[in-house]
């Protein structure tokens, strides 16, 4: 049964069709939906996300990105001329995914929404701070593989997008106990 309290987050619903509730394993009889707070912890810790966009001809484009959660939105960046930026100019719908590749452990996350280009300089500074806090020396150290990313954001050399989730999904695995949770915002 969905639960929703706007002050506490999205509506949370376990989809029993794809969870261990339909095919119980030992210890899985009481399988429950993943709490949004747990999903946020995983999202905040994830280093790599995959963004899926749609080309004007309908073909999908999927590519890895760095992303940071800040103030209810997931932020990522790209070059203005890159395929994902061109795709989002045509159709702002996208999905960001992250997770692991283990069959029996982990939590995979999918965040669906519309990407909006960030233009507010004050929010941009907050997003840069969120990136630097999350990725640390990867961004701030001259030896870091993404050194200067914050400056690229400030100068407009990188386009920053914000995705406010419309729907998100969590696919949990715990020693063979599987959960499929949907969060609706």
């Amino acid at each position: 049964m969905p639960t929703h309290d706007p002050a506490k987050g999205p509506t949370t619903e376990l989809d029993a069709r794809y969870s261990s509730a339909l095919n119980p394993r030992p210890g899985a009889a009481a399988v429950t939906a993943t709490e949004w707070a747990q999903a946020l912890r995983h999202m905040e810790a994830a280093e790599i996300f995959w963004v899926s966009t749609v080309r004007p001809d309908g073909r999908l484009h999927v590519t890895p990105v760095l992303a940071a959660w800040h103030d209810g939105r997931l932020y990522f960046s790209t070059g203005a001329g890159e395929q994902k930026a061109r795709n989002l100019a045509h159709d702002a719908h996208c999905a960001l995914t992250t997770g692991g590749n283990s069959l029996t452990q982990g939590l995979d996350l999918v965040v669906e929404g519309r990407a909006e280009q960030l233009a507010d300089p004050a929010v941009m500074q907050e997003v840069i701070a969120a990136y630097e806090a999350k990725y640390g020396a990867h961004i701030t150290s001259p030896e870091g593989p993404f050194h200067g990313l914050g400056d690229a954001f400030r100068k407009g050399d990188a386009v920053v997008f914000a995705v406010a989730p419309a729907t998100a999904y969590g696919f949990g695995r715990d020693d063979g106990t599987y959960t499929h949770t949907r969060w609706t915002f």
Side-chain angles (χ1 to χ4, degrees):
M1 180 63 63
T3 60
H4 182 67
D5 178 349
K8 294 183 179 180
T11 299
T12 301
E13 181 179 9
L14 178 72
D15 190 333
R17 296 174 301 167
Y18 307 110
S19 299
S20 292
L22 271 188
N23 188 13
R25 300 174 56 87
V31 67
T32 60
T34 302
E35 294 298 323
W36 179 241
Q38 181 182 352
L40 280 177
R41 285 191 299 276
H42 280 267
M43 197 171 354
E44 290 167 346
E47 295 180 333
I48 298 293
F49 290 76
W50 292 83
V51 62
S52 301
T53 59
V54 180
R55 299 172 194 259
D57 66 5
R59 291 180 300 133
L60 294 175
H61 177 71
V62 181
T63 187
V65 295
L66 302 180
W69 181 262
H70 173 69
D71 201 22
R73 290 172 174 73
L74 195 53
Y75 290 86
F76 69 95
S77 68
T78 186
E82 290 187 31
Q83 186 67 53
K84 56 189 161 293
R86 294 193 315 265
N87 294 347
L88 292 169
H90 171 75
D91 182 346
H93 292 96
C94 67
L96 287 130
T97 61
T98 192
N101 63 359
S102 169
L103 185 61
T104 60
Q105 296 296 320
L107 178 64
D108 299 326
L109 299 168
V110 178
V111 174
E112 297 178 343
R114 294 180 54 86
E116 295 181 11
Q117 188 171 339
L118 178 58
D120 183 325
V123 176
M124 182 70 75
Q125 285 304 121
E126 294 173 10
V127 170
I128 291 167
Y131 264 80
E132 289 177 347
K134 179 175 184 173
Y135 292 102
H138 295 294
I139 291 174
T140 60
S141 170
E143 292 79 31
F146 301 100
H147 180 255
L149 188 61
D151 289 335
F153 288 7
R154 284 182 198 93
K155 295 177 189 174
D157 294 340
V159 182
V160 179
F161 289 97
V163 177
T167 305
Y169 300 92
F171 304 94
R173 299 169 308 286
D174 184 13
D175 286 327
T177 299
Y178 298 92
T179 60
H180 176 171
T181 303
R182 176 180 29 249
W183 299 280
T184 306
F185 296 80

